[in-house]
Each structure stands twice: as C-alpha cells, then as structure tokens.
Amino acid sequence: MSYSELGRIENINITDSWVKYNKVGEGSGEARLYVGQNSEKHVFFTSTNQSIFTAFVLKKDLAQYLNDAEFEYQNPSNDYRNRESLYENFITYKQKLYDLPNIIYFDFEFAPDTAQDQNRCYIRALDTSNNSIYTFLREILFPNLTKIDIVKINFDNDRIEFYYIPKLEIQYNHYQQLTRLKNLEDTITESKSIEPTENEQLILSRRGQGRFRANLIEEMVCCPLTNVNDSRLLLASHIKPWAESNNEERLDHYNGLLLTPTFDKLFDQGLITFTNPTQILFSSHLSEQTIELLKLREFTPNINHFDLREQYFIYHHLNIFKG
C-alpha cells in the first residue's frame, strides 16, 4: 500500500468546552471540535467534494499520550472537576486502550458555522456514543495542555483519510520534566551512599555539563549531522533520558549525543531517531513541510561508536520516538 501526505492542520487547541471529563469550567461541553477560521481549512476538508470523511487514530499514539500525561493524572496542575478520580480514570483508560485495535477508524463531517461565521471550521464525528473512539478522545485528553494534528493522507492514489494525532504541549512536557528532575536531583543530593564529588557530577550530567560533557566532546568532537565543532553551539544530550537512567548510565558518555540545538530539540521530543550510524528516521508527528523548511533530508548522520550506543538508541526508539 502506498500513501502520500496531502497536508495537515497542526496544533488544534483542545479546549475545555470540547473535553468530556477532564474539565476545569462549568459547561457541559460540545461534541464538535473547532479547528480554525479561514478558507484554507475549508479547502483542506472539502476539496474532495465529500461531506462525510473517514478518520483514524493509532493505538500507539493514544498509548504515547497517556504515558506522557500520567504525571498530570497523578499531579494535576489544574483544578479539574473530576480531580479526585483522575488517576482512577487513568487506570481505566489504560485498560480500555489495551483492548483496542492498532488502527481505530471513525467517520466525521465538516461542519462550518452557518449561524454566525461560515469561515469558522468545525468537525463532528457521526458516532458520539459512549463507546466510540471519538468519545474516548474527549475523555482522556486534557484541555489547553493538548493539541491535535490532523493529517490528510491519500492511500493508493484513490482513498483520502484523515489521521488524528493527539499530543501534549511541549511546554507541558518541559514542566513535567522539570518537576520530575528536581525530585530526582533532591534524592541524589540527599543520598548518603554517593560520594559528594560523584553527586556533583550526576547533577551536572543532567544539564549536559561536567565530566559527561567533557568526555562526550573528546570522543565525538562535533555534531554527527552538521559537523559543527564549535562547543558553544553544541548540546550534550542523553540518548536514554537522564530521568530514566541509573547513575552509571547518567555518566556514561556513550549514552550521549553532541548535537546542534535544532537536532537536540528534535531528538529530545522524539521527532527523530537513529536506527544505524548513517540513517535518520523521522516521526509521523513531524510534518513534511517542517522537514522541507529545515532541509532535514539533506543531513546524513555519521555517529561514532554506534555499537556502544546501540542499547541506548533501542531504548529511545521504543520509548521516546513518536513513530
């Protein structure tokens, strides 16, 4: 089966009015999702002369979202109406997700605002029953912390479908990591079993500094994609995240990459990964437009000692990369 991306609407805000349970406000919510306001969005949906469209979500994307959002379910940053039952609901969602197929389809219709402003674009699923995947999305997503990308895909040159990708705000992920990392740093600082000098190096390695950075610069010398060797422009990034590593892995420079800022951000967010020393793999969460604008396909990696890093890349591919 062949397919091509025909375009996407990125970063549709999930508002409090749309979610079903994780609500902050008092409204009962509505099933139609507001996707923006301009003629281009109308063309995005209606250029095929259809009124009913087929969409799908991937089980792995829902699993990724719940994994990323677990911290919010345990430590809510907003005063959600169902705050007391958040984590209990999270467990239920994980169990329900387990029984879903790898690809879940639903039908929806494009619903412009005919009453007030026809430039306003809405979409509405045909099945909004309690057992529908559309309702499941409205149940598990957090308002204002969540975005959805909708990708328009042409399969075998004769079938148009829309791929829904839910994701947490990058800013929220940053907040989540800072909170987790501060707790882990405090644990290391207060540990009686770690020598003070080693304690300091563990904390510095989290920031890409200290012995971890020095060893990585000596071994890798430059960014393996851009060949930039100006140390002021290079970030020492863990392959297996510092928060998920044990103390030995945190200081192991083979659990590191020396990257320029753009590639560091892409790798950290799971938007790229590496399957061998000379191949870069792009996430489906990264639009073709972004890939082209950044000219990412023009870069060929050349990663030193890939065999010594392979266990860490496998972890990144399975747990961080967004497929």
Side-chain angles (χ1 to χ4, degrees), residues 78-101:
N78 289 298
D79 190 18
Y80 302 107
R81 289 186 348 204
N82 62 332
R83 188 184 180 98
E84 298 303 318
S85 60
L86 270 180
Y87 196 68
E88 181 181 339
N89 292 344
F90 172 80
I91 299 300
T92 300
Y93 299 149
K94 294 279 280 190
Q95 292 170 341
K96 183 174 181 178
L97 181 64
Y98 183 82
D99 294 326
L100 292 176

Side-chain angles (χ1 to χ4, degrees), residues 22 24 65-80 82-83 85-87 90 140-146 168 172-173 175-176 179-180:
N22 299 333
V24 179
Y65 180 87
L66 285 174
N67 182 63
D68 291 343
E70 182 174 3
F71 187 86
E72 181 71 5
Y73 275 99
Q74 290 180 307
N75 305 274
S77 60
N78 289 298
D79 190 18
Y80 302 107
N82 62 332
R83 188 184 180 98
S85 60
L86 270 180
Y87 196 68
F90 172 80
I140 70 173
L141 302 185
F142 283 105
N144 304 316
L145 299 177
T146 307
L168 276 174
Y172 174 77
N173 285 335
Y175 158 78
Q176 173 186 356
T179 305
R180 276 187 74 197

Side-chain angles (χ1 to χ4, degrees), residues 11-29:
N11 298 321
I12 298 168
N13 187 41
I14 297 304
T15 61
D16 195 67
S17 62
W18 187 75
V19 299
K20 192 171 178 67
Y21 292 138
N22 299 333
K23 299 180 72 62
V24 179
E26 298 298 323
S28 58

Side-chain angles (χ1 to χ4, degrees), residues 293-311:
L293 288 172
L294 292 175
K295 303 186 186 306
L296 297 180
R297 297 194 190 280
E298 296 182 10
F299 295 92
T300 300
N302 183 20
I303 300 174
N304 294 344
H305 299 111
F306 191 89
D307 57 333
L308 299 178
R309 291 179 161 86
E310 189 168 16
Q311 61 173 320

